[in-house]
Amino acid sequence: MAVVDLLSGACAVRPAEDADAVDGVPAQAVARPADAQETSALLRACHDAGLAVVVRGHGSKITWGRAPERVDVVLETGGMAGLVEHSRGDLVATAGAGMPLDRLGELLAEARHQLVVDDLAAGRGADGAGSTLGGAVATGMCGPRRLWAGPVRDLVIGVRLVLADGTVARSGGKVVKNVAGYDLAKLLTGSYGTLAVITEVTVRLHPEPQEEVSVRARVSPDRLEATLALLVRSQLAPHTLEVSAAPGSDPLVTVGLGGSPGGTRQRADAVATSLASPDLAGGSVAVVDPGTPEDELPSGLADVDQQDSPAGTSTTRPVLVRTTGRLSGIPELVRVATDQGFGVTGSAGVGVLHARLPEETPPEQAHHALEQLRATSLRLGGSTVVLDAPPAVKSGLDAEATWGPVPGLDLMRRVKAEFDPGRLLAPGRFVGGL
Amino acid sequence: MTQQTSQAMDDLLTDLRAALPPHTLVTDPTERDTYACDGLAAYRVRPGLVVLVDTAEQVAATVRACARHHVPFVARGSGTGLSGGALPHADGVLVVTSRLRTLHEVRPQDQRAVADPGVINLQVSKAANPHGYYFAPDPSSQQICSIGGNVAENSGGAHCLKYGFTAGHVLSLEVVTPDGEQVTLGTEAPDAPGYDLLGAFVGSEGTLGIATRATLRLTRMPEDVRTCLAGFASTDEAGSATSAIIAAGVVPAAIEIMDALAIEAAEKAVSCGYPEGAGAVLVIELDGPEVEVAHELERVRQLCDEHGCSEFRAATDAAERAEIWKGRKSAFAAVGRISPDYIVQDGVVPRTSLPDVLREMGRISRERGVRVANVFHAGDGNLHPLVLFDASQNGATERAEEVSGMILDLCIEHGGSITGEHGVGADKARYMPRMFSEEDLDTMQLVRCAFDPAHLANPGKIYPTPRMCGERPRVVHAADEPVVAGAEVF
């Protein structure tokens, strides 16, 4: 029986088209469950038939990680895109996994609330729709403002999930403080859809600052260390501390502040004054108000992506890397990255950078650059992960070269074997070929 | 102890005598009795063997021996846990990590500290303070509780509202898995590749293994800290003021409520000078850049006024700040002044449900004739009701336990949790099925099966009925039937 016929009793299903291929791996059917129950019915049917399932929101990060070994069914989360609850007094919200991040932002803004997750894949995916909530959680996507509010793993306080065999379960809840049972939400965050399908997410919200101001400074590479050390130690509680650098040009350091009217500006001026020291940025410091023409602030990955394509139109597949290290090692990581030809941007206040090689970089050169960057990040207590790459580069990277050394890999294999013993969820996409 | 378990313990002891120095092994029954309970003294079990480890390798050797002989093990730090998480197993080994107390590194430039599990929580901050940093998770027991215990229980304290749980402040862990393997989870930098096993391990209450070293994230000390005290006629008003503060976009470092009974106890114990006749007080702490704190303080003052605040004080120096905290921090112990015995409960409700839940608790208290004093982290809805009783009166203990359970049910009904920081432990495992479905619990235990298929790590905690792992024969070490010695008094 055709896959579509086999699954049609579970939820809406259509035959897959060429565009539904996942990182070059063709699919047979696209299923669109409307809720956790339909997801359960679908997965049970897939489980019984041994069909491999890859979850897709808007597809903005569908090529991240390794290409799956096989794809029978693409499970679209777009049918689960509703806001279930926004408890204003509790600063929490629950939404379907398919909820677009930007739509969620609009809904929360009515109460001057926000989910502090920066959409690094804005402008990508179906019609440039960017990330969904589920996609952000599944890839552990974090941008500049994690310095302020923490990474997405710390903002997710509850999930509803469906296991590969169709079991529907819940972890966490809708209160911020809760230590009852294992925190499966953390386990699923960043698991790339290989352990379970997330159907609903409850998140912690933050109030929108009343005022936001940024300070931008161009510093020479030899002053980057002193500049970042000063800012990391600052007591001005910045919401973001970003560094961007391209080969051959001076790094740009951006400090984002948010808070009370007047107070924020006062703090921004204090940051600007510190940075203007001749030992640091000297004269090249600017205080930038949001919404002004000068407000072209780096926003993590989007900025890297936009180095040679306008926002929202990027269809390129550069070698896209997340590289991390201890805070004091960030200047070195930036230097090595740019020496190897990477454009780099990221959270200097957290220790996570995103780096990018142009799509036309020859595979051998790309592989060499990756090795150099990885060696540096490992020495600095971090890691280097290849999020995406052009097919020519990706085909030369096995799971180990994609993800790098993984502490606790054997335990991870055991976790995968418990959650998805049949290897039906995005097989091969994740670390160690899981 | 059955003949079989006795033989296993003898064999284990033979192995451990060969592998460990003699002073690490505590076999004397009276000495073992010293470890019969943690901070929850209501449950007592004499451990089959106590091992006072000096090194991580000794932890691994002990756990390996346990795996070899199929003997359960329980980890224990300072023993301050309040849910019986470190309750020993009569036929098992209690691995005490309190001698592992080296603070290996404090690296302010990387905002990191590396600590052994037996390091006392407050010691980390004390070492980091001179560099302008501190360790944000600060349980009320921070002067004595250990980092290993904080990691096991994910115990956070008053500042979780703004700074998050312990889980957000642990970058990596060296752990001994239940088969005795030494494994590192996470990296010193965030976003280590792979599944977030670190996130699953923190708060797993010793059921996934034993942490032997932790890399912790330090937090920059704020430029300014302001503590204020607001008096209200009732907890209703104090609760509404709390919600209003949060809804207005102010996220205090801490916001704590005490009700009339808790105030009365604190006054008797430490003469904290809280507003006279107040039905409730809020202790609110704001921290951050000076200019922002000043702005927030005015906003908080205004919102408290709007919600019926009868008196508002803002400390102007460290001494006044300590004075305000004195009442709050002494509250638990102070309750001993007004009641011979009490149960400390730990539940969470959505902040907006606070007024309803407090009213309902008042009703239960009146109907059952059991006094309940309330001290809690209002900002995140983490209640710590103190259920007062006199164990010498007939049936009083049972009534107090019933009321304590009813409060947890109330938390669940309002979409909350049965624990916000103390853990489930041995004490609340029976409540887990009220909060989670069978499928939820089975799914959580898939993690357990991955780490500990033989169920040797802290059996009987968190989950009332362990799940069978895979197709393997069911090997389940149920919790011991603990000796219930009346409600805890501490």
Side-chain angles (χ1 to χ4, degrees), chain A residues 89-91 146 153 169-170 176-179 182 186 194 204 232-233 235 260 267 322 326 328 381 414 430, chain B residues 110 131 133 157 161 165 191 195-196 207 220-221 292 348 351-352 377 382 417 419 421 435 440 444 450 463:
Chain A
D90 295 312
L91 275 173
R146 68 184 290 170
R153 82 195 270 267
R170 179 173 74 85
V176 169
K177 203 172 184 187
N178 176 15
V179 298
Y182 297 151
K186 283 196 172 54
T194 61
R204 175 183 182 170
V232 164
R233 277 196 68 79
Q235 286 177 317
S260 65
R267 286 151 61 213
R322 188 182 64 218
R326 63 178 69 103
S328 62
R414 280 147 67 173
F430 204 47
Chain B
D110 292 322
H131 305 285
Y133 288 87
L161 171 65
F165 291 102
D191 295 357
Y195 297 132
D196 189 356
T207 62
R220 186 79 174 103
M221 282 160 82
E292 297 298 338
V348 192
R351 194 165 35 228
T352 47
H377 312 304
N382 187 190
S417 172
T419 172
E421 56 186 357
M435 186 169 163
D440 300 341
M444 287 180 198
Y463 303 103

Short mmCIF file of all heavy atoms in Angstrom, two decimals, chain A residues 89-91 146 153 169-170 176-179 182 186 194 204 232-233 235 260 267 322 326 328 381 414 430, chain B residues 110 131 133 157 161 165 191 195-196 207 220-221 292 348 351-352 377 382 417 419 421 435 440 444 450 463:
data_model
loop_
_atom_site.label_atom_id
_atom_site.label_comp_id
_atom_site.label_asym_id
_atom_site.label_seq_id
_atom_site.Cartn_x
_atom_site.Cartn_y
_atom_site.Cartn_z
N GLY A 89 -0.35 37.38 33.86
CA GLY A 89 0.16 37.63 35.21
C GLY A 89 1.26 36.65 35.61
O GLY A 89 2.02 36.90 36.53
N ASP A 90 1.32 35.53 34.89
CA ASP A 90 2.34 34.53 35.22
C ASP A 90 3.53 34.62 34.30
O ASP A 90 4.51 33.89 34.50
CB ASP A 90 1.73 33.13 35.15
CG ASP A 90 0.66 32.93 36.20
OD1 ASP A 90 0.92 33.27 37.36
OD2 ASP A 90 -0.44 32.46 35.86
N LEU A 91 3.43 35.45 33.27
CA LEU A 91 4.51 35.58 32.28
C LEU A 91 4.89 34.23 31.69
O LEU A 91 6.08 33.90 31.58
CB LEU A 91 5.73 36.26 32.91
CG LEU A 91 5.74 37.80 32.93
CD1 LEU A 91 6.94 38.32 33.73
CD2 LEU A 91 5.81 38.35 31.52
N ARG A 146 20.44 35.74 24.55
CA ARG A 146 20.58 34.69 25.57
C ARG A 146 21.42 35.19 26.74
O ARG A 146 21.32 34.66 27.84
CB ARG A 146 21.17 33.42 24.97
CG ARG A 146 22.61 33.59 24.54
CD ARG A 146 23.16 32.35 23.86
NE ARG A 146 23.34 31.26 24.79
CZ ARG A 146 23.63 30.01 24.42
NH1 ARG A 146 23.73 29.71 23.15
NH2 ARG A 146 23.81 29.07 25.31
N ARG A 153 16.80 26.53 26.15
CA ARG A 153 16.57 25.39 27.05
C ARG A 153 16.08 25.85 28.41
O ARG A 153 15.36 25.13 29.09
CB ARG A 153 17.86 24.56 27.22
CG ARG A 153 18.80 25.14 28.24
CD ARG A 153 20.19 24.58 28.20
NE ARG A 153 20.45 23.42 29.02
CZ ARG A 153 20.93 23.45 30.27
NH1 ARG A 153 21.13 24.60 30.89
NH2 ARG A 153 21.19 22.35 30.90
N ALA A 169 3.11 12.14 25.86
CA ALA A 169 3.53 12.42 27.23
C ALA A 169 3.78 13.90 27.42
O ALA A 169 3.81 14.67 26.46
CB ALA A 169 4.79 11.63 27.56
N ARG A 170 3.95 14.27 28.66
CA ARG A 170 4.13 15.66 29.03
C ARG A 170 5.27 15.72 30.04
O ARG A 170 5.43 14.82 30.86
CB ARG A 170 2.82 16.12 29.68
CG ARG A 170 2.75 17.51 30.18
CD ARG A 170 1.30 17.80 30.62
NE ARG A 170 0.96 17.12 31.87
CZ ARG A 170 1.20 17.61 33.08
NH1 ARG A 170 1.81 18.77 33.22
NH2 ARG A 170 0.85 16.96 34.17
N VAL A 176 7.08 28.31 36.47
CA VAL A 176 8.49 28.50 36.19
C VAL A 176 9.35 27.64 37.10
O VAL A 176 10.34 27.05 36.69
CB VAL A 176 8.85 30.00 36.35
CG1 VAL A 176 10.35 30.20 36.32
CG2 VAL A 176 8.20 30.80 35.24
N LYS A 177 8.95 27.57 38.35
CA LYS A 177 9.75 26.82 39.31
C LYS A 177 9.12 25.46 39.53
O LYS A 177 8.01 25.36 40.04
CB LYS A 177 9.81 27.60 40.63
CG LYS A 177 11.01 27.24 41.49
CD LYS A 177 11.11 28.18 42.66
CE LYS A 177 12.36 27.90 43.47
NZ LYS A 177 12.39 28.68 44.70
N ASN A 178 9.82 24.41 39.13
CA ASN A 178 9.22 23.09 39.13
C ASN A 178 10.33 22.07 38.99
O ASN A 178 11.05 22.07 38.01
CB ASN A 178 8.26 23.00 37.93
CG ASN A 178 7.65 21.62 37.77
OD1 ASN A 178 7.70 20.80 38.68
ND2 ASN A 178 7.08 21.38 36.62
N VAL A 179 10.49 21.21 39.96
CA VAL A 179 11.55 20.22 39.85
C VAL A 179 11.02 18.80 39.97
O VAL A 179 11.74 17.89 40.36
CB VAL A 179 12.69 20.48 40.87
CG1 VAL A 179 13.34 21.82 40.62
CG2 VAL A 179 12.19 20.40 42.32
N TYR A 182 12.04 14.10 35.75
CA TYR A 182 13.14 14.46 34.85
C TYR A 182 12.70 15.58 33.90
O TYR A 182 11.55 15.62 33.47
CB TYR A 182 13.57 13.26 34.02
CG TYR A 182 14.13 12.10 34.82
CD1 TYR A 182 14.00 10.80 34.35
CD2 TYR A 182 14.80 12.30 36.02
CE1 TYR A 182 14.51 9.73 35.06
CE2 TYR A 182 15.32 11.23 36.73
CZ TYR A 182 15.16 9.95 36.25
OH TYR A 182 15.67 8.89 36.96
N LYS A 186 14.47 19.76 28.51
CA LYS A 186 15.88 20.04 28.24
C LYS A 186 16.47 18.95 27.33
O LYS A 186 17.24 19.24 26.43
CB LYS A 186 16.67 20.13 29.55
CG LYS A 186 16.45 21.45 30.27
CD LYS A 186 17.49 21.70 31.33
CE LYS A 186 17.38 23.10 31.89
NZ LYS A 186 16.05 23.45 32.38
N THR A 194 15.15 13.85 16.94
CA THR A 194 15.57 12.44 16.90
C THR A 194 15.10 11.62 18.11
O THR A 194 15.33 10.42 18.16
CB THR A 194 17.10 12.31 16.81
OG1 THR A 194 17.68 12.93 17.98
CG2 THR A 194 17.65 12.96 15.56
N ARG A 204 8.64 30.40 29.30
CA ARG A 204 8.74 31.54 30.20
C ARG A 204 8.91 32.80 29.36
O ARG A 204 9.66 32.82 28.39
CB ARG A 204 9.96 31.33 31.08
CG ARG A 204 10.23 32.47 31.98
CD ARG A 204 11.49 32.30 32.79
NE ARG A 204 11.58 33.48 33.63
CZ ARG A 204 12.43 33.63 34.61
NH1 ARG A 204 13.29 32.68 34.88
NH2 ARG A 204 12.45 34.73 35.33
N VAL A 232 32.57 42.32 29.55
CA VAL A 232 32.10 41.13 30.25
C VAL A 232 32.05 41.39 31.76
O VAL A 232 31.15 40.94 32.46
CB VAL A 232 33.01 39.92 29.92
CG1 VAL A 232 32.80 38.78 30.90
CG2 VAL A 232 32.73 39.43 28.50
N ARG A 233 32.99 42.16 32.23
CA ARG A 233 33.03 42.46 33.66
C ARG A 233 32.10 43.60 34.07
O ARG A 233 31.95 43.89 35.25
CB ARG A 233 34.46 42.84 34.07
CG ARG A 233 35.35 41.65 34.34
CD ARG A 233 36.59 42.06 35.09
NE ARG A 233 36.31 42.49 36.46
CZ ARG A 233 36.07 41.66 37.48
NH1 ARG A 233 36.07 40.38 37.27
NH2 ARG A 233 35.84 42.13 38.68
N GLN A 235 29.12 45.99 35.15
CA GLN A 235 27.94 45.76 36.00
C GLN A 235 26.71 46.40 35.40
O GLN A 235 25.70 46.56 36.06
CB GLN A 235 28.19 46.34 37.39
CG GLN A 235 29.16 45.51 38.22
CD GLN A 235 29.44 46.15 39.54
OE1 GLN A 235 29.65 47.35 39.61
NE2 GLN A 235 29.46 45.36 40.60
N SER A 260 14.76 50.98 31.80
CA SER A 260 13.85 52.09 32.03
C SER A 260 14.14 53.23 31.06
O SER A 260 15.25 53.36 30.56
CB SER A 260 14.01 52.60 33.46
OG SER A 260 15.30 53.14 33.62
N ARG A 267 23.04 54.40 30.85
CA ARG A 267 23.98 53.27 30.88
C ARG A 267 24.72 53.14 29.56
O ARG A 267 25.92 52.82 29.52
CB ARG A 267 23.24 51.98 31.20
CG ARG A 267 22.84 51.89 32.66
CD ARG A 267 21.58 51.07 32.84
NE ARG A 267 21.73 49.71 32.39
CZ ARG A 267 20.76 48.97 31.84
NH1 ARG A 267 19.55 49.49 31.67
NH2 ARG A 267 20.98 47.74 31.48
N ARG A 322 28.65 26.54 14.45
CA ARG A 322 28.55 27.12 15.78
C ARG A 322 29.81 26.71 16.54
O ARG A 322 30.13 25.52 16.62
CB ARG A 322 27.32 26.60 16.51
CG ARG A 322 27.07 27.33 17.83
CD ARG A 322 25.88 26.78 18.56
NE ARG A 322 26.12 25.41 18.94
CZ ARG A 322 25.19 24.45 18.92
NH1 ARG A 322 23.97 24.70 18.54
NH2 ARG A 322 25.49 23.22 19.29
N ARG A 326 35.59 29.17 26.20
CA ARG A 326 35.48 29.93 27.45
C ARG A 326 35.57 31.42 27.13
O ARG A 326 36.12 31.81 26.09
CB ARG A 326 36.54 29.48 28.44
CG ARG A 326 37.97 29.72 28.02
CD ARG A 326 38.92 29.27 29.12
NE ARG A 326 38.92 27.84 29.29
CZ ARG A 326 39.89 27.03 28.84
NH1 ARG A 326 40.92 27.53 28.19
NH2 ARG A 326 39.83 25.74 29.02
N SER A 328 37.23 34.00 28.12
CA SER A 328 38.51 34.67 27.87
C SER A 328 39.13 34.20 26.55
O SER A 328 40.07 34.82 26.06
CB SER A 328 39.48 34.40 29.03
OG SER A 328 39.73 33.00 29.13
N GLY A 381 37.98 24.86 25.65
CA GLY A 381 36.91 24.29 26.49
C GLY A 381 35.55 24.22 25.82
O GLY A 381 34.53 24.02 26.48
N ARG A 414 22.39 5.24 24.26
CA ARG A 414 21.44 4.48 25.08
C ARG A 414 20.12 5.23 25.22
O ARG A 414 19.04 4.62 25.24
CB ARG A 414 22.07 4.19 26.45
CG ARG A 414 23.02 3.00 26.37
CD ARG A 414 24.20 3.09 27.31
NE ARG A 414 23.84 3.01 28.71
CZ ARG A 414 24.74 2.93 29.69
NH1 ARG A 414 26.03 2.92 29.41
NH2 ARG A 414 24.35 2.87 30.94
N PHE A 430 21.72 13.14 13.71
CA PHE A 430 22.30 13.72 14.92
C PHE A 430 23.67 13.12 15.24
O PHE A 430 24.20 12.29 14.49
CB PHE A 430 21.32 13.50 16.08
CG PHE A 430 21.47 14.46 17.22
CD1 PHE A 430 21.58 15.83 16.99
CD2 PHE A 430 21.51 14.01 18.53
CE1 PHE A 430 21.72 16.72 18.04
CE2 PHE A 430 21.64 14.90 19.58
CZ PHE A 430 21.75 16.25 19.34
N ASP B 110 36.54 33.97 33.19
CA ASP B 110 35.67 33.08 32.42
C ASP B 110 34.31 32.90 33.10
O ASP B 110 33.47 32.14 32.62
CB ASP B 110 36.33 31.70 32.26
CG ASP B 110 37.55 31.77 31.37
OD1 ASP B 110 37.51 32.52 30.38
OD2 ASP B 110 38.54 31.08 31.67
N HIS B 131 36.30 38.76 43.69
CA HIS B 131 36.50 39.06 42.27
C HIS B 131 35.29 39.74 41.65
O HIS B 131 35.25 40.00 40.45
CB HIS B 131 36.76 37.76 41.50
CG HIS B 131 37.89 36.96 42.05
ND1 HIS B 131 39.20 37.31 41.86
CD2 HIS B 131 37.90 35.83 42.82
CE1 HIS B 131 39.98 36.42 42.47
NE2 HIS B 131 39.22 35.53 43.07
N TYR B 133 32.11 38.42 41.79
CA TYR B 133 31.16 37.43 41.28
C TYR B 133 30.53 36.65 42.42
O TYR B 133 31.01 36.68 43.55
CB TYR B 133 31.87 36.45 40.33
CG TYR B 133 32.21 37.10 39.01
CD1 TYR B 133 33.41 37.81 38.85
CD2 TYR B 133 31.33 37.05 37.94
CE1 TYR B 133 33.71 38.43 37.65
CE2 TYR B 133 31.62 37.68 36.74
CZ TYR B 133 32.80 38.36 36.60
OH TYR B 133 33.08 38.98 35.41
N GLY B 157 16.37 28.31 45.44
CA GLY B 157 16.24 29.34 46.46
C GLY B 157 15.46 30.55 45.98
O GLY B 157 14.75 30.50 44.98
N LEU B 161 13.67 33.32 40.54
CA LEU B 161 12.75 34.11 39.72
C LEU B 161 13.53 34.89 38.66
O LEU B 161 13.18 34.89 37.48
CB LEU B 161 11.98 35.08 40.64
CG LEU B 161 11.15 36.13 39.94
CD1 LEU B 161 10.01 35.51 39.16
CD2 LEU B 161 10.59 37.13 40.97
N PHE B 165 17.11 28.45 37.69
CA PHE B 165 17.45 27.29 38.52
C PHE B 165 18.93 26.98 38.53
O PHE B 165 19.68 27.45 37.69
CB PHE B 165 16.79 26.05 37.92
CG PHE B 165 15.34 26.02 38.03
CD1 PHE B 165 14.57 26.33 36.94
CD2 PHE B 165 14.73 25.67 39.21
CE1 PHE B 165 13.20 26.29 37.03
CE2 PHE B 165 13.37 25.63 39.30
CZ PHE B 165 12.60 25.94 38.21
N ASP B 191 26.18 24.95 25.03
CA ASP B 191 25.79 24.32 23.77
C ASP B 191 26.71 23.18 23.35
O ASP B 191 27.10 23.07 22.18
CB ASP B 191 25.73 25.35 22.63
CG ASP B 191 24.66 26.40 22.85
OD1 ASP B 191 23.94 26.29 23.86
OD2 ASP B 191 24.54 27.32 22.03
N TYR B 195 22.75 15.33 22.91
CA TYR B 195 21.60 15.51 23.80
C TYR B 195 22.03 16.21 25.08
O TYR B 195 23.14 16.03 25.56
CB TYR B 195 21.00 14.15 24.16
CG TYR B 195 20.44 13.39 22.99
CD1 TYR B 195 20.76 12.04 22.79
CD2 TYR B 195 19.60 14.00 22.07
CE1 TYR B 195 20.25 11.34 21.71
CE2 TYR B 195 19.08 13.30 20.99
CZ TYR B 195 19.41 11.97 20.82
OH TYR B 195 18.91 11.29 19.75
N ASP B 196 21.13 16.99 25.62
CA ASP B 196 21.42 17.74 26.84
C ASP B 196 21.28 16.82 28.06
O ASP B 196 20.36 16.96 28.87
CB ASP B 196 20.45 18.93 26.93
CG ASP B 196 20.81 19.89 28.04
OD1 ASP B 196 21.76 19.60 28.79
OD2 ASP B 196 20.13 20.93 28.16
N THR B 207 19.27 9.59 40.83
CA THR B 207 18.80 8.35 40.20
C THR B 207 19.51 8.05 38.88
O THR B 207 19.24 7.02 38.27
CB THR B 207 17.28 8.40 39.94
OG1 THR B 207 17.03 9.48 39.02
CG2 THR B 207 16.49 8.63 41.21
N ARG B 220 27.92 37.96 37.71
CA ARG B 220 28.50 39.23 38.11
C ARG B 220 27.68 39.83 39.25
O ARG B 220 26.45 39.83 39.19
CB ARG B 220 28.50 40.19 36.90
CG ARG B 220 29.21 41.49 37.14
CD ARG B 220 30.70 41.32 37.03
NE ARG B 220 31.39 42.60 37.11
CZ ARG B 220 32.03 43.03 38.20
NH1 ARG B 220 32.07 42.30 39.29
NH2 ARG B 220 32.65 44.19 38.19
N MET B 221 28.36 40.33 40.27
CA MET B 221 27.61 40.96 41.36
C MET B 221 26.97 42.25 40.84
O MET B 221 27.58 42.96 40.04
CB MET B 221 28.55 41.27 42.52
CG MET B 221 28.85 40.02 43.34
SD MET B 221 30.31 40.18 44.34
CE MET B 221 29.68 41.05 45.74
N GLU B 292 18.71 51.64 37.18
CA GLU B 292 17.52 50.80 36.95
C GLU B 292 16.87 50.42 38.27
O GLU B 292 15.64 50.37 38.39
CB GLU B 292 17.91 49.52 36.19
CG GLU B 292 18.47 49.76 34.80
CD GLU B 292 17.48 50.42 33.86
OE1 GLU B 292 16.26 50.34 34.10
OE2 GLU B 292 17.94 51.06 32.89
N VAL B 348 4.19 24.45 44.24
CA VAL B 348 4.21 25.63 43.39
C VAL B 348 2.84 25.83 42.75
O VAL B 348 2.19 24.87 42.35
CB VAL B 348 5.26 25.49 42.25
CG1 VAL B 348 5.47 26.82 41.55
CG2 VAL B 348 6.58 24.96 42.78
N ARG B 351 1.57 32.09 39.74
CA ARG B 351 1.55 33.28 40.59
C ARG B 351 0.15 33.89 40.69
O ARG B 351 -0.28 34.32 41.76
CB ARG B 351 2.51 34.30 39.99
CG ARG B 351 2.89 35.44 40.84
CD ARG B 351 4.10 36.11 40.24
NE ARG B 351 4.10 36.07 38.79
CZ ARG B 351 5.12 35.69 38.04
NH1 ARG B 351 6.23 35.32 38.59
NH2 ARG B 351 5.02 35.68 36.74
N THR B 352 -0.57 33.88 39.57
CA THR B 352 -1.90 34.51 39.58
C THR B 352 -2.90 33.72 40.43
O THR B 352 -3.96 34.24 40.76
CB THR B 352 -2.44 34.63 38.14
OG1 THR B 352 -2.24 33.37 37.48
CG2 THR B 352 -1.73 35.72 37.38
N HIS B 377 8.30 31.92 48.31
CA HIS B 377 8.86 32.69 47.21
C HIS B 377 7.69 33.11 46.31
O HIS B 377 7.30 32.37 45.41
CB HIS B 377 9.87 31.86 46.42
CG HIS B 377 10.88 31.16 47.28
ND1 HIS B 377 11.67 31.82 48.18
CD2 HIS B 377 11.23 29.85 47.38
CE1 HIS B 377 12.47 30.95 48.79
NE2 HIS B 377 12.22 29.75 48.32
N ASN B 382 6.28 29.69 44.52
CA ASN B 382 6.79 28.53 45.27
C ASN B 382 6.40 28.66 46.75
O ASN B 382 6.96 29.46 47.48
CB ASN B 382 8.31 28.45 45.10
CG ASN B 382 8.94 27.19 45.69
OD1 ASN B 382 10.15 27.11 45.77
ND2 ASN B 382 8.15 26.22 46.09
N SER B 417 2.95 22.58 40.71
CA SER B 417 3.85 21.43 40.86
C SER B 417 3.93 21.01 42.31
O SER B 417 3.74 21.83 43.21
CB SER B 417 5.24 21.80 40.34
OG SER B 417 6.17 20.78 40.65
N THR B 419 6.64 20.13 43.74
CA THR B 419 7.90 20.59 44.33
C THR B 419 8.56 21.64 43.45
O THR B 419 8.60 21.52 42.23
CB THR B 419 8.88 19.42 44.60
OG1 THR B 419 10.14 19.98 44.99
CG2 THR B 419 9.10 18.54 43.39
N GLU B 421 11.65 23.10 44.69
CA GLU B 421 13.09 23.09 44.93
C GLU B 421 13.56 21.99 45.87
O GLU B 421 14.75 21.70 45.92
CB GLU B 421 13.55 24.46 45.46
CG GLU B 421 12.82 24.90 46.73
CD GLU B 421 13.19 26.33 47.14
OE1 GLU B 421 14.04 26.92 46.48
OE2 GLU B 421 12.62 26.82 48.13
N MET B 435 0.16 14.19 39.52
CA MET B 435 0.59 15.31 38.67
C MET B 435 0.83 14.86 37.24
O MET B 435 0.63 15.63 36.30
CB MET B 435 1.88 15.89 39.26
CG MET B 435 2.35 17.14 38.56
SD MET B 435 3.67 17.93 39.49
CE MET B 435 4.33 19.01 38.22
N ASP B 440 3.33 9.77 31.01
CA ASP B 440 4.35 10.79 31.33
C ASP B 440 5.47 10.15 32.15
O ASP B 440 6.65 10.34 31.87
CB ASP B 440 3.75 11.93 32.18
CG ASP B 440 2.62 12.67 31.48
OD1 ASP B 440 2.52 12.57 30.24
OD2 ASP B 440 1.84 13.34 32.18
N MET B 444 9.42 9.52 31.20
CA MET B 444 10.56 10.03 31.98
C MET B 444 11.52 8.90 32.32
O MET B 444 12.73 9.07 32.30
CB MET B 444 10.05 10.67 33.28
CG MET B 444 9.37 12.00 33.09
SD MET B 444 8.83 12.64 34.68
CE MET B 444 7.64 13.87 34.15
N ALA B 450 18.03 4.28 30.32
CA ALA B 450 19.26 4.47 29.55
C ALA B 450 20.47 4.54 30.48
O ALA B 450 21.52 4.00 30.19
CB ALA B 450 19.16 5.74 28.71
N TYR B 463 9.92 8.12 41.52
CA TYR B 463 8.87 7.38 40.84
C TYR B 463 8.33 6.26 41.72
O TYR B 463 9.10 5.43 42.22
CB TYR B 463 9.40 6.80 39.52
CG TYR B 463 9.95 7.89 38.64
CD1 TYR B 463 11.32 8.10 38.51
CD2 TYR B 463 9.09 8.77 37.99
CE1 TYR B 463 11.81 9.13 37.73
CE2 TYR B 463 9.57 9.81 37.21
CZ TYR B 463 10.94 9.99 37.08
OH TYR B 463 11.42 11.02 36.33
#
